[in-house]
Amino acid sequence: MSNERRRPFPFDQFEPRWQRVWAERATFHTPNPGDAGFDPTKPKYYVLDMFPYPSGAGLHVGHPEGYTATDIIGRFKKMRGFNVLHPMGWDAFGLPAEQYAIKTGQHPRATTEANVANFRAQLQRIGFGYDWQREVNTTDPGYFKWTQWIFLQIYKSYYDPELGKAQPIALLEDALSDAPQRRSEWEGNMYLLGTHEAWRKSDDSSRASWRDGFIEHSRLAYISSAPVNWCPELGTVLANEEVVDGKSEVGGHPVERRPMRQWMLRITLYAQRLMDELDGLDWPESIKIHQRNWIGRSEGAEVRFEIADASGRAGFQPAVPSFQLGTSGVTNAPHRDTPSDNERNPTPDAPGEIPGAAGCKPALPTITVFTTRPDTLYGATYMVLAPEHLLVDSIVTEEQATAVEEYREKAARKSDLERAELAKDKTGVFTGAFAINPVSGERIPIWIADYVLTGYGTGAIMAVPAHDERDWEFARKFALPIREVVSPEPRLGLGGGSVCDAEPLECFVGEGYAIHSGPLDGLPTAAAKAEITARLEAQGLGKTTINFKLRDWLFSRQRYWGEPFPIVWENGRHRAVAESELPVVPPELSDFKPTGTPEPPLSKAKDWVRYQPVHHERGDDVSTAFPLPSLGMIEGVEPSHSTATRELNTMPQWAGSCWYYLRYIDNANAERFVGSEAERYWMTGTTSHQSPVTSHIPKPGGVDLYVGGTEHAVLHLLYARFWHKVLFDLGHVSTPEPFQKLVNQGLILGEDGQKMSKSRGNVVNPDDVISEYGADSLRLYEMFMGPLEATKPWSMSGVEGVFRFLARVWRLVMEENQAGEWQPSAAVQDVPMEKSVAKVVHATIKKVGEDIEAVSFNTAIAQMMVCTNALTAANPRPVAAIRLLLHVLNPFAPHLTEELHAQLGGTTLLADATWPAFDPALLIEDEIELPVQVNGKLRDKIVVKKDATPAEVEAIAKAAPKVAESLAGKTIKKLIVVPGRLVNIVVA
RNA sequence: GCCGGCAUGGCGAAAUGGCAGACGCAAGGGACUUAAAAUCCCUUGGGAGGUAACUCUCGUGCGGGUUCGAGUCCCGCUGCCGGCACCA
């Protein structure tokens, strides 16, 4: 069979040989600034692949697609005189290794090591020019030490809304002690930071504890007990981004909502920056749009509704200011930030509420809603709270209490999946309470319904059934009044803001003109929004607001095979371990099974759990964020370390991949996560000898080219940008964005046009392709299939096609002797190139270079095929022409070209060669052929001198036989000569 | 429902608003060979006409438009793929 068959060229012999040569000579090693061999005169180019999770299944053909693209570009840039950084590593924490461990009892570290070895060998077999000295592995303690360190930087920071950036939390502490009078101002912001719970508790405590609580809850990493996505099957919680249709993205297991104590990262505070700073990036527009949609900014207004007391009057105005209407324009849903003793009946703590002070008539709370259509306020005929809304308990009437409680329990039990499936069927219950429409003064009922989400806006809405599909449906089902307040066309004579005549027949959600809306009547929607918002603001009843769909990032997992948090708990408070204690290494376990409860598997390591503080040398960073005594320790009690326990959760897999591109830059650095000199060079191209980087970098800088699949459009690419921005704010990195240019490779389908999968049996294994056709054929085919970004099916006969092309290149240079051995061909001679040969060779140099820059590899390969066909026809074959072809083919088929280059007497590596220059003079034709059209239809072709004047061209064109025939008896209305392109004659 | 992307031969695909189908696959024919493989050469979008070199004509999902000229730009559809989906 195939191994019996004689190979058209001996790729199986020379491919491994050249791979060894590259490895031995460290051909693709790139020194850092300051290292031996570093050339500061060269520009830098950082080309990055999305590093793989080393699964047990090994590489599939999708991996080498992007990797070959970056390899071609990296090798090309090296030939063009760049310092090229092109590294590879392993995103090796993750669920599959842990689940395999559960099944087999084998330690995840063992399987991970074996898989990494396999992946590395597979990649090396394809001949990628990685700098293997820069390899990183997220599970390496020398790596995750710095993942933990970065987490601590986030933990020790807060977001300053005025500066719009993260700051060390120590500064916040200073600010609070320096300016205690700013407390009320801070209180406003505190709610915005989700810290109102702490504020409430601190109300009657000392100033110091208020401050501690405030600091505690200002951290960019915080503890929350909000309902999270719990997956019982996987035994862990998942981020919103990891839940697809109510099922886990990994494994497809059902996911339910339940409140749990979890670490969250305040990515929401970066929503605006994450959105704005996309603009400067050279990314596919679709990915940018995807991220913008995910962040989901919407502009609107918050409106405060008072609750009517039983007699129907508006309730008492609360004595405290409504600090939800704070200074910052950014709000998000209230989080229940502190573990609640009874999670099913959380303490109401909504804004403005003062629960039952003894002996006084309780002031009734207000309800704040978010709306993008404040212009429809006159049409708000009822309100809806999310079932989980914290106000429900305090407003529900006795008669409705049972029904409400039943509904809330049912809603809580519903999984996300059920909630999604039942989405169209609205359900809800009346609370028995009423609110006052602030503009019409009308008494409107307050309902609860699960179509209102607790996590978005304020978790409460004003319902305008005439102009919102969902409210319309709900109102129809429960026979609630529907009032039309927007008309698609301007209407006259329907003013007065009074009652409308009849309920509308259908829901109108578009923009139009206000009707039945008092002072707004006749205004177009945009103006009506502005007018009503101004009026509300003047009366303290509302204000413009911006809302984001983006939620804070749920950052903890109940897994073994992940980075432990560098956090210990004591007396119910968390604190950072000292930096000198990093890395916090996971304990050895033999049983990795989920506990079956939300208790993480690390809880099984009883000794590890009990925190034994290391003895600190002088100068060690023990104090971390702020001194231990301020952490809520009981005064007078000596801190006792024996009671301290470690945080048992681990970080999600995204943690390691949030910064790996930085570690490649300086992967052996034991002092810092990345050396600043090297970081500045590879991210901005400048060194300390050059002018310092200012805070306003015109080009965002970062990785020059990042290639990977679209599946990371909102997960990895959003998380990594977030971490990078925090590091930038804190002065640890020099660019605001990590990845300047992004290219998405398309999906490779099976030969049947279906997605490759084991069950379909259409999976192509790159190893098989290599053993039959060689690594160069695999590389070349993956690039020749079509545009890199396109989804395209695999075709083995296509592989065969590029294989034949490579064999033709081989035979350009080599021929078989009588004994059947390959030897340099006699046809290859040191003769000058004929002009026609020189022309095609130089055209090839030009086009291939341009196409590589444009990431258009399929057309570059087509041009090299044309060139090869031309050279095959030449006899003798000028060796200079062949050498030039080998140079431009080298980034694509590095093994074959190195071999042939050596066979032609080359003593240096093509990989180290300089990209050839083309001679533009050769590409200029003396005579050019021009098509001549009559009325846009091709009639003839003429040949003219390249510098012929338009008048000359015109004359020749008119004289062309077929043109003359078409023109006979007609008058020329217009004649267009496009120099070098065509002639078009318009006749009557 | 909303937001993207795509639509060109039998197939993968090319084409700064300027000769549609480069390059490759597949297919057919031929050369070499005892034979096969490999290799090399020729043909290959549809239709019509011509003994022939060739000639004419239609053709880039559908319908309009802009333009001397549209696969390409604009408007309106259809189909497929991907994402989001009660986000007020």
Side-chain angles (χ1 to χ4, degrees):
Chain A
M1 279 299 289
S2 62
N3 51 344
E4 298 288 326
R5 206 174 71 198
R6 230 188 110 40
R7 298 189 189 281
F9 64 103
F11 61 83
D12 52 326
Q13 288 162 38
F14 64 71
E15 286 188 348
R17 200 166 68 234
W18 288 107
Q19 286 162 13
R20 273 198 303 278
V21 169
W22 298 326
E24 280 160 13
R25 301 193 194 171
T27 302
F28 298 100
H29 173 59
T30 308
N32 273 346
D35 289 354
F38 176 75
D39 183 350
T41 63
K42 291 180 171 182
K44 69 96 182 181
Y45 196 82
Y46 187 174
V47 53
L48 179 68
D49 293 302
M50 289 186 184
F51 66 164
Y53 174 77
S55 71
L59 287 184
H60 56 77
V61 291
H63 287 116
E65 187 190 17
Y67 300 165
T68 304
T70 54
D71 197 49
I72 289 167
I73 289 170
R75 286 170 177 267
F76 172 72
K77 289 286 182 182
K78 178 172 157 67
M79 293 174 89
R80 294 298 298 251
F82 285 77
N83 285 325
V84 173
L85 178 56
H86 186 213
M88 181 44 74
W90 318 107
D91 188 16
F93 275 130
L95 209 47
E98 181 163 329
Q99 289 184 319
Y100 189 75
I102 291 165
K103 245 194 295 185
T104 64
Q106 230 189 100
H107 196 282
R109 184 165 299 284
T111 51
T112 300
E113 271 169 20
N115 291 348
V116 163
N118 181 40
F119 261 67
R120 192 192 296 113
Q122 284 189 298
L123 291 181
Q124 285 172 342
R125 226 172 289 147
I126 306 174
F128 292 132
Y130 289 122
D131 181 352
W132 286 106
Q133 294 177 38
R134 293 175 180 270
E135 185 177 345
V136 302
N137 181 331
T138 56
T139 65
D140 187 342
Y143 182 93
F144 68 71
K145 166 180 179 173
W146 298 107
T147 310
Q148 292 170 336
W149 181 86
I150 294 170
F151 171 79
L152 286 185
Q153 306 316 301
I154 296 169
Y155 174 81
K156 294 176 193 177
S157 302
Y158 77 106
Y159 194 86
D160 186 318
E162 273 165 40
L163 296 175
K165 62 183 238 181
Q167 294 275 286
I169 208 145
L171 296 180
L172 179 61
E173 201 187 23
D174 292 349
L176 291 174
S177 34
D178 290 352
Q181 74 278 11
R182 291 175 67 194
R183 175 173 172 175
S184 63
E185 188 184 320
W186 284 108
E187 284 166 3
N189 284 330
M190 194 162 47
Y191 177 81
L192 304 173
L193 294 169
T195 55
H196 51 288
E197 174 86 0
W199 171 81
R200 195 176 63 77
K201 283 192 174 167
S202 69
D203 205 32
D204 56 352
S205 338
S206 69
R207 193 181 71 84
S209 90
W210 161 78
R211 199 184 65 192
D212 288 349
F214 183 77
I215 289 168
E216 201 58 44
H217 288 78
S218 299
R219 295 177 184 279
L220 290 180
Y222 67 100
I223 288 284
S224 163
S225 302
V228 294
N229 306 300
W230 164 252
C231 178
E233 194 69 28
L234 296 175
T236 185
V237 297
L238 298 168
N240 291 329
E241 289 85 345
E242 294 170 303
V243 180
V244 178
D245 291 335
K247 291 181 182 164
S248 63
E249 193 188 24
V250 177
H253 305 296
V255 171
E256 53 191 55
R257 305 279 298 174
R258 62 183 288 175
M260 286 172 60
R261 186 189 62 76
Q262 295 297 325
W263 284 97
M264 308 284 287
L265 301 188
R266 285 190 208 281
I267 190 172
T268 47
L269 296 175
Y270 280 79
Q272 191 65 54
R273 275 171 66 188
L274 287 168
M275 182 169 268
D276 291 345
E277 287 166 40
L278 281 172
D279 291 343
L281 300 179
D282 184 4
W283 285 21
E285 203 49 41
S286 59
I287 298 288
K288 290 191 188 182
I289 290 168
H290 199 162
Q291 287 216 350
R292 288 199 191 97
N293 289 347
W294 190 265
I295 295 166
R297 180 192 150 103
S298 33
E299 295 180 15
E302 280 183 355
V303 183
R304 194 150 50 92
F305 286 68
E306 285 177 19
I307 291 171
D309 67 15
S311 65
R313 293 177 297 114
F316 291 103
Q317 186 71 20
V320 290
S322 179
F323 44 71
Q324 185 158 11
L325 306 173
T327 52
S328 160
V330 179
T331 68
N332 225 317
H335 301 287
R336 280 176 289 163
D337 279 1
T338 306
S340 171
D341 296 332
N342 182 347
E343 279 165 336
R344 274 191 27 226
N345 292 304
T347 316
D349 65 348
E353 181 213 359
I354 300 175
C360 307
K361 183 177 178 183
L364 284 165
T366 63
I367 298 173
T368 302
V369 302
F370 173 74
T371 175
T372 54
R373 292 295 300 271
D375 59 300
T376 62
L377 183 52
Y378 282 87
T381 52
Y382 64 102
M383 295 186 83
V384 186
L385 305 183
E388 303 88 345
H389 197 283
L390 299 166
L391 266 181
V392 174
D393 281 335
S394 49
I395 62 165
V396 66
T397 58
E398 244 169 74
E399 308 88 79
Q400 291 299 102
T402 320
V404 164
E405 191 48 39
E406 268 173 23
Y407 185 79
R408 295 180 86 182
E409 277 186 24
K410 215 166 67 192
R413 268 202 313 274
K414 270 190 202 172
S415 69
D416 265 15
L417 185 60
E418 287 168 317
R419 231 165 132 147
E421 273 171 359
L422 302 171
K424 296 300 158 224
D425 190 20
K426 299 275 181 294
T427 58
V429 173
F430 179 45
T431 62
F434 291 84
I436 305 297
N437 183 319
V439 288
S440 68
E442 242 179 314
R443 206 164 165 266
I444 59 176
I446 304 169
W447 287 62
I448 62 169
D450 65 5
Y451 83 90
V452 173
L453 308 174
T454 184
Y456 183 77
T458 62
I461 62 155
M462 63 179 211
V464 185
H467 305 290
D468 181 283
E469 296 278 6
R470 298 149 299 184
D471 298 342
W472 169 267
E473 231 178 283
F474 192 81
R476 299 285 295 222
K477 179 160 176 182
F478 295 102
L480 291 157
I482 299 170
R483 177 157 313 147
E484 190 181 16
V485 292
V486 182
S487 162
E489 305 296 333
R491 272 196 232 166
L492 297 170
L494 278 172
S498 54
V499 193
C500 62
D501 318 301
E503 291 197 347
L505 296 173
E506 55 183 19
C507 179
F508 171 67
V509 298
E511 303 211 334
Y513 300 84
I515 56 170
H516 305 306
S517 295
L520 305 180
D521 280 346
L523 289 176
T525 298
K529 281 183 187 177
E531 176 65 26
I532 187 72
T533 310
R535 283 168 181 267
L536 289 171
E537 204 147 354
Q539 296 171 57
L541 293 171
K543 64 180 203 62
T544 59
T545 307
I546 292 155
N547 238 303
F548 295 96
K549 276 201 277 190
L550 187 70
R551 313 293 161 83
D552 275 342
W553 178 11
L554 172 57
F555 192 68
S556 45
R557 300 290 183 277
Q558 292 70 47
R559 285 181 190 164
Y560 172 74
W561 194 229
E563 300 90 347
F565 281 78
I567 294 286
V568 294
W569 288 80
E570 192 158 29
N571 299 327
R573 293 302 192 98
H574 48 79
R575 70 162 190 271
V577 303
E579 280 181 21
S580 59
E581 291 182 60
L582 300 181
V584 177
V585 179
E588 287 305 316
L589 276 188
S590 50
D591 171 19
F592 311 102
K593 272 195 212 67
T595 55
T597 68
E599 189 81 344
L602 290 184
S603 63
K604 296 177 183 180
K606 301 289 180 211
D607 291 341
W608 183 86
V609 169
R610 209 170 303 115
Y611 175 62
Q612 300 296 333
V614 297
H615 177 72
H616 295 296
E617 296 299 324
R618 209 172 22 150
D620 263 5
D621 177 16
V622 188
S623 62
T624 68
F626 51 96
L628 273 170
S630 72
L631 270 163
M633 302 257 168
I634 301 150
E635 237 169 276
V637 174
E638 191 66 21
S640 160
H641 285 122
S642 63
T643 60
T645 58
R646 291 188 183 278
E647 168 66 45
L648 299 178
N649 288 301
T650 53
M651 299 186 197
Q653 193 179 355
W654 309 111
S657 59
C658 268
W659 73 285
Y660 72 110
Y661 56 93
L662 291 169
R663 190 61 180 173
Y664 283 138
I665 288 171
D666 198 11
N667 66 333
N669 196 325
E671 308 301 317
R672 222 172 165 271
F673 74 113
V674 57
S676 32
E677 174 80 13
E679 186 275 331
R680 185 165 52 236
Y681 178 71
W682 288 112
M683 297 302 275
T684 71
T686 59
T687 61
S688 53
H689 308 295
Q690 292 166 271
S691 59
V693 181
T694 61
S695 58
H696 292 287
I697 303 158
K699 244 184 75 176
V703 171
D704 296 276
L705 178 65
Y706 194 18
V707 176
T710 48
E711 68 273 21
H712 293 117
V714 288
L715 297 160
H716 160 62
L717 286 173
L718 198 61
Y719 296 150
R721 292 181 64 218
F722 165 53
W723 274 38
H724 196 90
K725 285 183 187 305
V726 177
L727 290 171
F728 176 70
D729 288 353
L730 298 175
H732 296 306
V733 296
S734 25
T735 65
E737 284 285 336
F739 315 119
Q740 174 50 215
K741 177 169 182 172
L742 175 73
V743 171
N744 286 123
Q745 88 240 25
L747 196 63
I748 295 183
L749 306 172
E751 298 230 29
D752 54 1
Q754 301 291 308
K755 214 172 156 178
M756 279 192 197
S757 73
K758 254 190 219 158
S759 57
R760 285 205 186 85
N762 59 356
V763 175
V764 178
N765 181 342
D767 283 344
D768 298 343
V769 178
I770 291 173
S771 58
E772 192 152 353
Y773 301 102
D776 285 335
S777 294
L778 173 71
R779 296 168 59 108
L780 209 64
Y781 175 65
E782 296 234 7
M783 295 300 100
F784 189 60
M785 292 171 83
L788 183 65
E789 306 83 354
T791 302
K792 45 213 180 273
W794 188 267
S795 156
M796 272 305 175
S797 28
V799 180
E800 204 120 15
V802 295
F803 178 64
R804 280 203 284 266
F805 161 65
L806 291 177
R808 281 164 72 86
V809 175
W810 174 261
R811 288 195 310 273
L812 270 185
V813 180
M814 306 296 284
E815 63 186 6
E816 268 180 300
N817 64 14
Q818 293 293 328
E821 293 157 344
W822 290 106
Q823 58 184 33
S825 166
V828 177
Q829 291 170 25
D830 193 0
V831 293
M833 283 182 250
E834 273 176 48
K835 192 157 183 211
S836 63
V837 170
K839 204 181 246 178
V840 70
V841 169
H842 281 258
T844 303
I845 297 168
K846 179 171 191 279
K847 180 154 177 63
V848 173
E850 288 168 356
D851 284 353
I852 292 174
E853 295 278 6
V855 198
S856 176
F857 304 116
N858 53 333
T859 52
I861 294 166
Q863 179 63 34
M864 290 187 282
M865 287 172 167
V866 170
C867 183
T868 301
N869 291 343
L871 289 178
T872 302
N875 195 356
R877 297 175 197 138
V879 67
I882 290 175
R883 285 213 177 93
L884 287 172
L885 173 64
L886 294 179
H887 274 74
V888 298
L889 181 55
N890 174 260
F892 297 80
H895 310 88
L896 175 79
T897 50
E898 290 286 10
E899 176 69 17
L900 293 179
H901 180 68
Q903 291 285 354
L904 289 175
T907 52
T908 54
L909 290 179
L910 272 184
D912 290 327
T914 302
W915 186 261
F918 63 89
D919 181 356
L922 282 170
L923 302 181
I924 297 169
E925 310 270 351
D926 296 333
E927 292 190 322
I928 47 176
E929 195 186 57
L930 288 185
V932 182
Q933 296 177 341
V934 176
N935 282 348
K937 286 188 178 166
L938 180 67
R939 286 301 161 190
D940 211 340
K941 291 177 185 181
I942 57 172
V943 175
V944 297
K945 294 256 182 287
K946 72 162 198 290
D947 47 7
T949 64
E952 287 167 339
V953 172
E954 184 180 329
I956 298 167
K958 281 183 193 162
K962 287 189 195 125
V963 176
E965 198 180 304
S966 314
L967 295 180
K970 299 188 174 140
T971 50
I972 296 175
K973 280 173 67 183
K974 196 169 182 179
L975 197 146
I976 294 125
V977 176
V978 185
R981 301 250 47 146
L982 58 41
V983 179
N984 191 10
I985 303 171
V986 186
V987 296

